[in-house]
Amino acid sequence: FATLKHQAQSGAPLYLQLRKSIEDAVNRGLIGPGDALPSERDIATKADISRVTVRKAVQDLVKGGILVQRHGSGTFVAPRMERVEQSLSRLTSFTEDMARRGMVVRSAWLDRGLYAPSPDEMMVLGLSSNELVARVARLRIANDTPLAIERASLSASVLPDPADIGSSLYAALELTGNRPVRAVQRISAANLGDSDARLLEVPPGIAGLHIERISYLASGKVIEFTRSIYRGDAYDFVAELRLTG
Ligand code: GLP
């Protein structure tokens, strides 16, 4: 960054020049995915420019998905995303899907608790207004990359203590004999809103996938109603089609 001030005479606004030199450093591999950027103050001092200019350049790069900001820990080069190829023909859990790929799974809790059910929860889960719904909302993370926001609703009668599911909802359901055996999944396009984009560490407005899964026990009873937002830049859903007849 040190030469920036000298080039400044050459015309383009300083923040654009800084943006370009950071972009060049990323493209040339001088700083790689996951590497921390020096602090705003360090860059400003080295390049002899104001912190406001640095902030503007960095914010542009965050918007463009080149850098990511993590609250409290700084600014990093965005991880390079390898797309996840997800089969649509098997009823598996996030934990199982990622473990099969050798990825380390973790979740951040967004919500867990018992609530009065919403009208659509009552309808899908067959609850009456005096029953409670258990909500389990998590940010799903694989190899430190947030991939999806999942909000599951179940009858409180099968999940009286939503805080108790450990790291896998399906593993917890399995233990009580409530693992689903069939599901209907609906996938539709959705641009990511600001708060979802922030959680998923992607620029707001990029494509996402809204996935709704309603899953059933062998008895035909609905066990799970989950609405999720998946990163559109991270997933390919693949189904095998056969000519029958
Ligand atoms: C998938 C499904 C969700 C399901 C989840 C369970 O991601 N889309 O509907 O709730 O798996 O995953 P886990 O058992 O890892 O909590």
Side-chain angles (χ1 to χ4, degrees):
F1 309 121
T3 52
L4 217 62
K5 192 76 180 189
H6 307 291
Q7 294 166 0
Q9 282 87 7
S10 72
L14 273 174
Y15 89 93
L16 284 180
Q17 296 188 32
L18 175 62
R19 193 180 78 185
K20 186 166 183 317
S21 61
I22 297 175
E23 241 168 342
D24 285 349
V26 173
N27 291 337
R28 284 167 41 215
L30 299 177
I31 38 175
D35 285 352
L37 210 70
S39 71
E40 244 173 51
R41 180 189 315 208
D42 283 355
I43 299 178
T45 313
K46 279 211 189 81
D48 191 18
I49 54 181
S50 76
R51 281 179 71 170
V52 178
T53 305
V54 177
R55 192 164 311 147
K56 199 155 185 244
V58 167
Q59 266 160 13
D60 257 26
L61 291 165
V62 169
K63 268 195 210 125
I66 311 272
L67 301 177
V68 289
Q69 260 166 343
R70 302 212 172 99
H71 289 294
S73 55
T75 305
F76 302 84
V77 178
R80 198 169 296 123
M81 209 36 246
E82 267 191 45
R83 295 177 73 87
V84 173
E85 196 174 293
Q86 177 66 48
S87 163
L88 283 175
S89 53
R90 279 188 306 268
L91 178 52
T92 48
S93 73
F94 185 86
T95 304
E96 292 162 343
D97 292 336
M98 296 304 137
R100 196 168 353 99
R101 296 180 172 88
M103 295 169 100
V104 179
V105 187
R106 104 191 133 75
S107 298
W109 284 104
L110 304 174
D111 188 13
R112 51 185 158 179
L114 299 179
Y115 295 89
S118 66
D120 50 353
E121 285 170 328
M122 282 170 62
M123 205 173 68
V124 174
L125 295 168
L127 298 173
S128 58
S129 53
N130 55 5
E131 289 177 291
L132 292 176
V133 68
R135 292 196 190 133
V136 169
R138 295 168 293 170
L139 177 65
R140 313 301 311 258
I141 304 164
N143 281 3
D144 285 332
T145 304
L147 292 177
I149 299 164
E150 293 200 312
R151 299 178 185 280
S153 304
L154 298 93
S155 163
S157 61
V158 287
L159 202 64
D161 187 359
D164 213 26
I165 66 158
S167 57
S168 163
L169 174 63
Y170 278 16
L173 291 176
E174 179 115 52
L175 284 177
T176 54
N178 286 312
R179 164 112 193 193
V181 297
R182 184 173 78 83
V184 174
Q185 187 154 293
R186 183 180 292 270
I187 304 178
S188 49
N191 288 335
L192 296 178
D194 283 0
S195 62
D196 289 345
R198 203 170 315 121
L199 286 170
L200 292 169
E201 297 180 4
V202 291
I206 77 155
L209 294 161
H210 184 265
I211 300 185
E212 186 183 282
R213 180 182 287 187
I214 298 177
S215 48
Y216 300 82
L217 298 178
S219 65
K221 181 178 182 288
V222 173
I223 183 80
E224 171 201 14
F225 175 33
T226 293
R227 285 162 287 188
S228 314
I229 302 279
Y230 276 65
R231 279 174 59 166
D233 64 336
Y235 268 87
D236 289 317
F237 286 93
V238 180
E240 186 181 302
L241 311 177
R242 287 171 192 260
L243 176 66
T244 55

